[in-house]
Amino acid sequence: GQSLEQPSEVTAVEGAIVQINCTYQTSGFYGLSWYQQHDGGAPTFLSYNGLDGLEETGRFSSFLSRSDSYGYLLLQELQMKDSASYFCAVHNTNAGKSTFGDGTTLTVKP
Amino acid sequence: NAGVTQTPKFQVLKTGQSMTLQCAQDMNHEYMSWYRQDPGMGLRLIHYSVGAGITDQGEVPNGYNVSRSTTEDFPLRLLSAAPSQTSVYFCASSYYAGRDNYGYTFGSGTRLTVV
């Protein structure tokens, strides 16, 4: 089976940097994705890492270490609108079956 | 470009009733899936499809049926609603790229309550 672990809650102040970690156990690993979901909204895709290393998209970066079964999402220059839930998801060789973590609720304070 | 359209947005069912949640996408995506999200939890995969005529079970398929007769549509049928099926249901689609992943596009969700 597949399992993912990520912290349930993270709090940070506006302008700060925050890192949300995700560790996973899965067979036939292809890659790790990150999604953002605001309260009452639908998840939106942020990034995907299929190879080790850092992927940067504006204020957001995502990192993957396949040997450590670990990844993280880095959010820089935090803004109030970044308050949301963030989910990591693993994709494996059965490309249709992606597994999502339970999410990390990020609260950005002024 | 509408993306992924789900209907209805809200639904209340009585135990034992059946209904179909509709999902349509206009991006010519091969891959479509249904997830449910319970309060404070992640998304759990119900069923998915990698192309017209092909469907498979996800993590929590019991009590649900799907079919994929066209690329655009992927309806989810609740056979006999139970209170345990109270949840928010999301439909998602993407290009089916195997090892690569271009991200899922999610619909706005259907909030279902079974009483």
Side-chain angles (χ1 to χ4, degrees):
Chain A
Q2 301 177 88
S3 67
L4 296 95
E5 285 191 21
Q6 53 181 130
S8 58
E9 295 180 350
V10 172
T11 301
V13 296
E14 211 171 3
I17 299 172
V18 73
Q19 179 174 311
I20 299 173
N21 298 322
C22 176
T23 58
Y24 60 86
Q25 289 186 328
T26 185
S27 57
F29 177 82
Y30 264 359
L32 187 73
S33 294
W34 290 92
Y35 288 80
Q36 178 192 62
Q37 185 180 32
H38 286 100
D39 243 7
T44 57
F45 174 71
L46 293 176
S47 69
Y48 173 74
N49 293 73
L51 301 172
D52 284 358
L54 194 68
E55 294 281 342
E56 297 180 80
T57 310
R59 294 188 297 115
F60 293 3
S61 303
S62 58
F63 173 82
L64 175 67
S65 169
R66 298 167 70 102
S67 60
D68 295 323
S69 298
Y70 163 76
Y72 66 72
L73 179 69
L74 190 73
L75 297 86
Q76 303 182 75
E77 302 171 20
L78 281 174
Q79 302 175 8
M80 298 298 291
K81 67 178 182 180
D82 296 330
S83 291
S85 292
Y86 293 84
F87 296 89
C88 57
V90 293
H91 310 285
N92 65 10
T93 50
N94 185 338
K97 285 190 171 184
S98 299
T99 300
F100 282 75
D102 284 342
T104 299
T105 300
L106 171 64
T107 303
V108 180
K109 296 187 172 180
Chain B
N1 191 347
V4 179
T5 302
Q6 286 186 239
T7 56
K9 293 192 183 304
F10 301 93
Q11 183 70 50
V12 178
L13 287 179
K14 294 183 178 179
T15 298
Q17 285 185 317
S18 62
M19 79 160 295
T20 299
L21 308 185
Q22 301 293 342
C23 176
Q25 53 91 8
D26 62 359
M27 298 171 285
N28 202 31
H29 284 170
E30 301 94 334
Y31 175 85
M32 296 186 74
S33 57
W34 278 100
Y35 288 87
R36 60 175 288 174
Q37 185 175 34
D38 299 323
M41 298 187 68
L43 298 136
R44 290 186 292 169
L45 182 64
I46 304 171
H47 286 286
Y48 66 97
S49 168
V50 298
I54 306 168
T55 63
D56 205 348
Q57 296 182 350
E59 182 186 354
V60 288
N62 292 338
Y64 309 94
N65 271 354
V66 292
S67 60
R68 183 95 180 268
S69 56
T70 67
T71 299
E72 295 79 18
D73 299 299
F74 191 45
L76 178 72
R77 282 182 290 278
L78 279 72
L79 309 174
S80 178
S84 61
Q85 294 178 305
T86 294
S87 189
V88 180
Y89 291 83
F90 288 102
C91 179
S93 75
S94 76
Y95 290 110
Y96 180 58
R99 190 181 191 94
D100 295 324
N101 188 289
Y102 303 109
Y104 300 141
T105 300
F106 283 86
S108 58
T110 296
R111 296 179 183 278
L112 175 69
T113 302
V114 181
V115 297

